[in-house]
Amino acid sequence: MFRLPFFKKSKQNKQQIDTIHNVPEHIAIIMDGNGRWAKQRGLPRLAGHKQGMDNIKDIVRTANKHGVKILTLYAFSTENWKRPKSEVDYILKLPKEFIHIYLPELIEENVQIKTIGAFDLLPEHTQQAVNEAKKRTEANNGLILNIALNYGSRDEILQAIKQITRDVQSNSLDIEKLDEQIVSNYLYTKDFIDPDLVIRTSGEQRLSNFLLWQIAYAEFWFTDVYWPDFDETVFEQALHDYQSRKRRFGGLTNNKLKQE
Ligand code: FPP
């Protein structure tokens, strides 16, 4: 699809994004800094998570506008269960609230909702709300909003190893044929291309068990901005910086790794 270059005049320092060439197809974001955002304002941590939830809609809109195909958001990790129960309970109610408020608009924008992670271990009410949203958006073919819920990369790889071993033992998989693509097919992300760009907000520069297999060749972009303040302008700065990067995938030219 041909898209006209995008110009925005309303804000200063806006980056002009080339919406035709070199837009990352898959962006994965570690949404960090909700607690500090709230603390800075003398608010309870939960207020930061609520603001973080509201911010998702704006970021989805911006991603959609620039032709991003998949937006994977790290909402709840397998390690986040270690937080106080009240905070865990609150975060796991946010998907339902998000869907309640924003689903009509997401449907309007042709967004598909998907998840990665150990879904069956989430509270029943979270599963029900998310399943409903998945069902109501399954016919959409626009941006995929992929929410990582109870996701941990090591656990994902461990489960894949177990299943591969079972399949080898039952002779449904020939170990000699096992290759990187087949391993990828055992991961939650089997239907998605690997992320091109990983963004982490709030000044932290670590991966926190996020998509470790899938981001082998991704570009990384870090910002000090807390997630609730990560707005269109900052997002476009990341897109702009990505567009100036030279990706070589270990070779000498920009030959993207073949992904079926
Ligand atoms: C990290 O910030 C954030 C989280 C663990 C939760 C992120 C969840 C949301 C943004 C809302 C999810 C909603 C939907 C609909 C998926 P932090 O609390 O670790 O921040 P801190 O490091 O400043 O304490």
Side-chain angles (χ1 to χ4, degrees), residues 18-184:
D18 180 341
T19 56
I20 302 167
H21 306 106
N22 206 20
V23 173
E25 285 185 46
H26 184 173
I27 300 179
I29 306 184
I30 302 174
M31 307 181 289
D32 198 5
N34 293 346
R36 281 164 284 166
W37 180 91
K39 193 172 176 203
Q40 218 177 38
R41 288 161 178 76
L43 297 169
R45 291 179 55 78
L46 305 190
H49 293 314
K50 167 74 172 68
Q51 194 67 27
M53 178 204 83
D54 286 327
N55 197 39
I56 291 175
K57 182 62 201 40
D58 292 344
I59 295 310
V60 168
R61 194 183 299 119
T62 303
N64 223 352
K65 182 169 78 180
H66 292 300
V68 174
K69 295 197 168 66
I70 308 167
L71 184 65
T72 297
L73 301 180
Y74 205 6
F76 191 83
S77 76
T78 46
E79 287 71 37
N80 286 151
W81 294 103
K82 292 184 218 155
R83 295 187 179 211
K85 185 174 181 309
S86 54
E87 183 167 339
V88 168
D89 288 350
Y90 186 80
I91 294 175
L92 293 178
K93 278 185 190 142
L94 289 177
K96 187 173 180 179
E97 188 170 347
F98 178 76
I99 287 158
H100 179 70
I101 302 172
Y102 297 112
L103 190 61
E105 212 177 319
L106 293 169
I107 290 173
E108 181 82 13
E109 289 180 24
N110 198 21
V111 169
Q112 306 170 67
I113 295 179
K114 304 208 178 222
T115 60
I116 52 172
F119 194 76
D120 295 350
L121 302 179
L122 290 166
E124 197 62 36
H125 63 82
T126 312
Q127 291 188 39
Q128 270 176 15
V130 175
N131 276 335
E132 166 83 6
K134 283 180 181 171
K135 207 158 171 247
R136 289 185 59 196
T137 60
E138 71 189 354
N140 293 352
N141 58 8
L143 177 105
I144 293 172
L145 171 58
N146 180 35
I147 307 172
L149 273 175
N150 197 19
Y151 175 84
S153 191
R154 287 185 170 185
D155 180 60
E156 175 185 42
I157 293 168
L158 179 64
Q159 300 312 324
I161 292 170
K162 285 184 176 176
Q163 192 55 45
I164 288 168
T165 308
R166 281 186 215 109
D167 289 350
V168 169
Q169 281 171 344
S170 66
N171 292 324
S172 53
L173 178 65
D174 177 353
I175 197 157
E176 297 309 325
K177 296 215 169 97
L178 188 62
D179 61 12
E180 292 181 11
Q181 187 56 55
I182 293 175
V183 173
S184 294

